[in-house]
Amino acid sequence: MEQVFTWRSHGGTQGVYSHQSKTTGTPMTFSVFVPDHAPGTKLPVLFFLSGLTCTHANVTEKGEFRAACAKHGIIFVAPDTSPRGDDVPDAEGYDFGKGAGFYVDATEAPWAANFRMRSYIEQELPELLAEQFPVDLDRQGITGHSMGGHGALTIALRNPDRFRSVSAFAPIVSPLNCPWGEKALAGYLGPDRATWREYDACALIEKGARLPDLLVDQGEGDSFLAEQLKTHLLADACAKAGQPATIRLHPGYDHSYYFISTFMAEHVAWHARRLALSHVQTQLA
């Protein structure tokens, strides 16, 4: 792992790092904020998965999470949204290819060799973090925005024993039922829609996947809400399945980081409470 930059901020260290990923076969860059802490202390970790066209830098520069993470003693990790490099395949348009990995393990050529963001987030990156940072892997939370909200929900639903808390900002809740999702899943996974269902939060809940709770914030002024995000489908799936969920609609807010940064501190606090509770439960067990 190579340190690219570090800065002092809010009583902690904000860094950007890169490494050669075995999972994607490419260099991968991510950012990590580590609050000051007592030597030897292991801290809970919150992953933030970003949306279409983004890198680690968007939330790192505009997310306004550091003060809340310092207050609650949480490490904040922001990976990239796809593999990158001159040898990595790409496509025209912003919603497929580089910057649009959709947090899947692709099975179709030419994407299968590199576009394995599911395995990267679920396996390789947490293991690397545990080697290099004071991360407590028994206290992992995950959140994300838009495409990254889709990633956070589906990864948590597939791994409820590993990700103890999950939230999302304006997530794509059902890629099976929106143009962004249909394009991406068909391209990465092929035409068999049955194989797409493990990457659809609503389908996973319908199949029986459960979480202790989830939090979603969505702006009612979001131009993508009606066609791409379809928050009501998640609300309906949770209600039908009895899945506890807090789904909040906010008048006037759009899809931007002005919206995300407004509610970021609430999300960090929400994760902190649940990660602290999971730690107590583990100690009692």
Side-chain angles (χ1 to χ4, degrees):
M1 189 185 76
E2 177 185 352
Q3 177 180 294
V4 181
F5 298 108
T6 61
W7 305 270
R8 287 289 294 166
S9 181
H10 288 282
T13 301
Q14 177 65 64
V16 176
Y17 307 89
S18 68
H19 72 114
Q20 182 65 33
S21 170
K22 295 179 180 179
T23 303
T24 68
T26 68
M28 295 294 292
T29 301
F30 59 94
S31 74
V32 182
F33 175 73
V34 181
D36 290 347
H37 57 282
T41 303
K42 296 271 189 172
L43 301 178
V45 58
L46 178 59
F47 292 86
F48 183 95
L49 306 185
S50 295
L52 290 166
T53 76
C54 291
T55 70
H56 71 279
N58 297 75
V59 70
T60 304
E61 297 171 2
K62 298 184 287 187
E64 300 184 24
F65 56 85
R66 278 173 285 271
C69 286
K71 175 181 177 180
H72 295 286
I74 291 180
I75 293 173
F76 190 96
V77 178
D80 204 345
T81 53
S82 79
R84 299 184 190 269
D86 294 339
D87 297 329
V88 174
D90 199 6
E92 291 189 10
Y94 71 93
D95 54 356
F96 190 74
K98 291 181 185 178
F102 262 82
Y103 304 99
V104 306
D105 280 354
T107 58
E108 296 294 294
W111 315 102
N114 306 114
F115 280 71
R116 304 187 65 239
M117 292 302 296
R118 169 183 177 174
S119 291
Y120 180 72
I121 300 298
E122 291 183 355
Q123 300 170 21
E124 184 177 13
L125 184 57
E127 292 171 2
L128 176 66
L129 292 168
E131 293 173 359
Q132 301 289 337
F133 299 94
V135 167
D136 182 355
L137 290 184
D138 288 330
R139 290 185 287 166
Q140 297 182 63
I142 192 166
T143 186
H145 171 232
S146 195
M147 177 186 72
H150 139 76
L153 291 172
T154 55
I155 286 171
L157 284 162
R158 290 193 305 264
N159 299 275
D161 56 331
R162 291 182 56 193
F163 294 93
R164 302 301 180 91
S165 59
V166 57
S167 70
F169 300 86
I172 303 169
V173 305
S174 184
L176 281 156
N177 293 291
C178 74
W180 280 341
E182 290 178 346
K183 178 178 180 178
L185 297 185
Y188 293 134
L189 304 177
D192 182 2
R193 292 176 66 92
T195 66
W196 303 4
R197 296 183 64 82
E198 63 183 311
Y199 296 108
D200 185 294
C202 294
L204 287 168
I205 291 169
E206 290 168 5
K207 189 179 179 181
R210 293 292 182 271
L211 296 166
D213 197 1
L214 60 89
L215 170 65
V216 170
D217 278 312
Q218 173 64 58
E220 290 185 335
D222 191 324
S223 61
F224 301 115
L225 176 56
E227 183 179 21
Q228 304 284 8
L229 308 177
K230 300 187 177 183
T231 310
H232 69 280
L233 295 180
L234 180 63
D236 291 345
C238 289
K240 184 176 180 180
Q243 165 64 56
T246 301
I247 299 175
R248 308 188 300 190
L249 300 177
H250 302 280
Y253 285 92
D254 64 7
H255 200 67
S256 72
Y257 272 86
Y258 293 106
F259 158 64
I260 297 168
S261 64
T262 300
F263 299 100
M264 179 64 82
E266 291 185 39
H267 279 242
V268 172
W270 190 89
H271 284 273
R273 290 191 295 272
R274 284 151 182 82
L275 294 173
L277 178 61
S278 71
H279 185 53
V280 171
Q281 291 171 335
T282 300
Q283 289 181 319
L284 291 174

